Amino acid sequence: MKKFCIAFFVLITGLIFAGCGMQKQEQPPEGIVRICSSMNRNISEALINGFANKTGIVVEFDPLVATSLSQRLELLGNSKVDVWLGGSAEEYYMAGEREMLVPYLPGGAAGIPPQYMDRDGRWIPLTVDYIALLSNRNNMRRLGIEEPVAWEDLLQPVLHNEIVMADPTTGGAPYGMITSLWQLRGREEALQFAGKLRTQQVMYLPTEAKAGYEVYLGRKAVAVMSLRHALALEREHRFLYATPVQNGNKNMITAVAILKKGENQKAAARFIDYLFSKEAVRIMQEHGMRPLADGLPSVGGNAKVPGLLPNDDLGWMAGRKQELIKEWLNAK
């Protein structure tokens, strides 16, 4: 009787899978792709679900834990993850130096201008963003000043204890502020600015979402954050004002790469191809991102971006990150 039950279960299971196979096509030979993402979870899941629905490939997805760069690279280097999605250019540069990445160029990326690309093709840029200032108009009226649009505007005495941003060690806009000013103005002038900014008693928080929330509540007057998030908050709340910084900004690239230790590189390549499809571009646009596959995206917001850093020194930015942040925060 026991043997009969087992045989019956196997038969029924086989029929179920056979029925699924008759819908259109069998499960692709790649089977499963494992994806780890540094992106916002909602955007990550929208892209992953779109890919899975389109291809039938099973996706195992995990958000990447928010840790230091060295810890993230150690975690990814020891894993069997196939695709790393949503990291910054300097992070992928360091992963490339550790020989963690498999070079790959999807056809949809062929039109991206060279200044955004890794010359060795180890990672592929997906989107670009800029550094922004998010201001609370109510606070500005109370303080009697215009909304800040340039770095020097943050040094106004009336903004003492009114500025907030994420911890620069998390990367993003706060670290972009340091590296763009350092590269555009030189070390001495950049540290002079940093010393003056230090006297403003800037509040540093774990994430830029928390920084934006402080400005939304009116507990702080202005936040340094990514333009995409600043514009999203401005659209939701008319008393907020978002603008790209006018005198020392940079291209903040979000990218994707195939990891060498992954076991499903064919499926990984198919996922990256999908990210440059019209469907994926539309998903990214719906979430406020600027896909490079759609041509050079407009800046948006309340102003253009003069003083834009043409190219980052990624080796310097990534290799000296902790040292640069320490020197910046302790400048006098």
Side-chain angles (χ1 to χ4, degrees):
M1 182 66 181
K2 184 176 180 181
K3 290 182 179 179
F4 172 78
C5 291
I6 293 172
F8 181 76
F9 174 77
V10 171
L11 174 63
I12 294 298
T13 304
L15 289 173
I16 290 172
F17 282 110
C20 291
M22 290 173 63
Q23 293 295 321
K24 186 70 177 177
Q25 59 183 4
E26 296 179 356
Q27 185 178 2
E30 295 90 342
I32 296 175
V33 62
R34 297 177 177 88
I35 298 172
C36 199
S37 178
S38 305
M39 278 184 177
N40 170 279
R41 190 180 189 111
N42 291 337
I43 302 170
S44 300
E45 290 181 344
L47 290 168
I48 287 166
N49 290 338
F51 170 74
N53 291 335
K54 186 172 183 177
T55 64
I57 294 175
V58 176
V59 179
E60 293 183 356
F61 164 65
D62 283 305
L64 190 58
V65 179
T67 58
S68 68
L69 174 57
S70 61
Q71 289 173 318
R72 283 198 296 277
L73 294 180
E74 192 72 24
L75 175 69
L76 289 166
N78 292 325
S79 74
K80 296 295 184 181
V81 170
D82 302 300
V83 177
W84 175 16
L85 171 66
S88 65
E90 59 264 27
E91 291 176 323
Y92 288 109
Y93 174 87
M94 290 299 291
E97 292 298 292
R98 295 189 181 194
E99 299 185 350
M100 293 169 53
L101 309 179
V102 177
Y104 181 71
L105 181 64
I112 296 176
Q115 66 265 30
Y116 296 98
M117 300 292 291
D118 175 44
R119 64 184 180 184
D120 298 314
R122 298 170 297 182
W123 49 268
I124 310 101
L126 278 178
T127 69
V128 65
D129 204 350
Y130 306 94
I131 309 169
L133 299 177
L134 178 72
S135 303
N136 187 310
R137 295 178 187 269
N138 299 329
N139 289 51
M140 294 302 153
R141 282 196 292 270
R142 174 176 58 82
L143 296 171
I145 59 172
E146 297 292 323
E147 292 83 2
V149 297
W151 292 123
E152 279 68 28
D153 293 342
L154 298 181
L155 303 181
Q156 298 174 81
V158 71
L159 287 177
H160 180 266
N161 204 32
E162 291 281 358
I163 304 167
V164 61
M165 66 184 78
D167 187 330
T169 59
T170 62
Y175 187 54
M177 172 184 67
I178 296 173
T179 58
S180 60
L181 289 174
W182 202 302
Q183 292 175 94
L184 284 166
R185 303 185 183 186
R187 177 180 179 277
E188 184 176 346
E189 187 175 340
L191 289 179
Q192 286 176 359
F193 174 86
K196 294 175 182 177
L197 185 64
R198 184 169 177 251
T199 66
Q200 293 289 69
Q201 296 295 309
V202 175
M203 173 185 280
Y204 295 100
L205 294 175
T207 67
E208 73 169 27
K210 292 181 182 294
Y213 191 60
E214 290 293 310
V215 175
Y216 161 74
L217 292 176
R219 294 198 290 235
K220 297 294 178 182
V222 58
V224 176
M225 60 194 310
S226 67
L227 181 59
R228 180 174 73 87
H229 287 141
L231 288 174
L233 288 168
E234 181 189 59
R235 284 192 294 269
E236 293 176 8
H237 310 288
R238 300 180 68 177
F239 60 89
L240 298 179
Y241 178 87
T243 183
V245 181
Q246 297 296 292
N247 63 335
N249 215 310
K250 64 173 289 182
N251 295 311
M252 296 199 301
I253 294 171
T254 295
V256 64
I258 298 174
L259 291 167
K260 187 175 289 186
K261 284 194 175 181
E263 298 174 342
N264 304 288
Q265 292 186 4
K266 287 185 179 180
R270 287 191 67 183
F271 177 70
I272 291 180
D273 288 337
Y274 169 78
L275 292 176
F276 290 87
S277 69
K278 290 182 179 179
E279 179 184 340
V281 165
R282 176 183 53 77
I283 290 171
M284 287 185 269
Q285 289 172 333
E286 288 173 351
H287 285 82
M289 304 184 83
R290 299 174 179 81
L292 287 165
D294 195 37
L296 279 180
S298 60
V299 172
N302 296 293
K304 295 182 180 180
V305 185
L308 190 66
L309 181 67
N311 289 296
D312 276 315
D313 181 344
L314 294 178
W316 170 81
M317 284 174 57
R320 294 188 56 198
K321 184 174 182 179
Q322 298 303 321
E323 179 186 339
L324 294 174
I325 292 171
K326 182 177 180 181
E327 196 169 357
W328 178 276
L329 295 178
N330 291 308
K332 296 180 179 179

